[in-house]
């Protein structure tokens, strides 16, 4: 099993149902380094953060999209293993109401790990006074 591999994604890469990859290229950080208490204290489950170096957020696992928030700042995937994952893009980005986000997924889509899910304008995130940490 490959967990949180910070990989340069290539079109030919194929991941198994037990692989979990990073949703974005960048530096992985401990939950203790995340400013939002919900994620820092892992109140909704095991958490890890990423300081992004890319504007594309990818699906971390093979599975089905459970939901995409209308504000596009977060989405959920039920992995083929049965485990549910939440990908949360930025801190307090819900306040942006979708501005600076573009989605490539919708509820019910069958997705593969590494597949493009959301594109983010990090400049807009910073301008809105939000943090860029991906959780």
């Amino acid at each position: 099993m490959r967990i949180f591999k910070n990989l340069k994604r290539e079109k030919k890469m194929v991941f198994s149902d037990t692989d979990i990859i990073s949703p974005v290229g960048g530096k992985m950080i401990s939950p203790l380094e995340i400013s939002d208490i919900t994620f820092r204290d892992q109140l909704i489950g095991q958490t890890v953060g990423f300081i992004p170096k890319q504007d594309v957020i990818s699906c971390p696992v093979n599975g089905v999209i459970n939901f995409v928030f209308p504000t596009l700042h977060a989405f959920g995937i039920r992995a083929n293993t049965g485990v549910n994952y939440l990908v949360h893009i930025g801190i307090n980005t819900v306040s942006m109401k979708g501005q600076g986000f573009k989605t490539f997924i919708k509820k019910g889509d069958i997705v593969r790990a590494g597949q493009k899910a959301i594109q983010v304008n990090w400049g807009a995130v910073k301008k809105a006074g939000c943090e860029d940490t991906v959780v």
Side-chain angles (χ1 to χ4, degrees):
M1 171 179 7
R2 295 175 280 193
I3 299 180
F4 295 120
K5 291 293 183 180
N6 229 346
L7 303 169
K8 208 173 200 183
R9 290 171 178 77
E10 299 174 15
K11 291 182 182 187
K12 295 180 183 181
M13 293 184 91
V14 177
F15 298 98
S16 77
D17 285 347
T18 58
D19 289 336
I20 306 167
I21 66 167
S22 64
V24 67
K27 178 185 176 195
M28 188 167 67
I29 61 172
S30 155
L32 298 175
E33 297 176 72
I34 301 170
S35 66
D36 185 296
I37 192 168
T38 301
F39 300 116
R40 182 185 67 226
D41 292 350
Q42 302 188 70
L43 299 177
I44 57 174
Q46 278 188 303
T47 304
V48 66
F50 299 90
I51 305 302
K53 289 189 177 188
Q54 298 173 331
D55 65 351
V56 173
I57 309 301
S58 300
C59 298
V61 294
N62 298 332
V64 177
I65 300 296
N66 282 342
F67 61 86
V68 179
F69 272 80
T71 52
L72 308 180
H73 78 288
F75 62 95
I77 300 176
R78 180 169 181 84
N80 292 341
T81 60
V83 177
N84 288 302
Y85 293 87
L86 169 69
V87 178
H88 193 280
I89 306 161
I91 304 296
N92 297 323
T93 47
V94 66
S95 66
M96 295 176 64
K97 300 180 180 170
Q99 294 293 319
F101 297 87
K102 180 180 179 182
T103 185
F104 300 93
I105 55 171
K106 66 184 181 313
K107 182 179 178 177
D109 282 356
I110 296 170
V111 295
R112 302 291 302 169
Q115 180 177 328
K116 182 192 261 188
I118 306 280
Q119 187 161 15
V120 185
N121 178 331
W122 292 120
V125 170
K126 293 290 188 181
K127 186 176 180 182
C130 302
E131 295 177 40
D132 62 356
T133 305
V134 176
V135 182

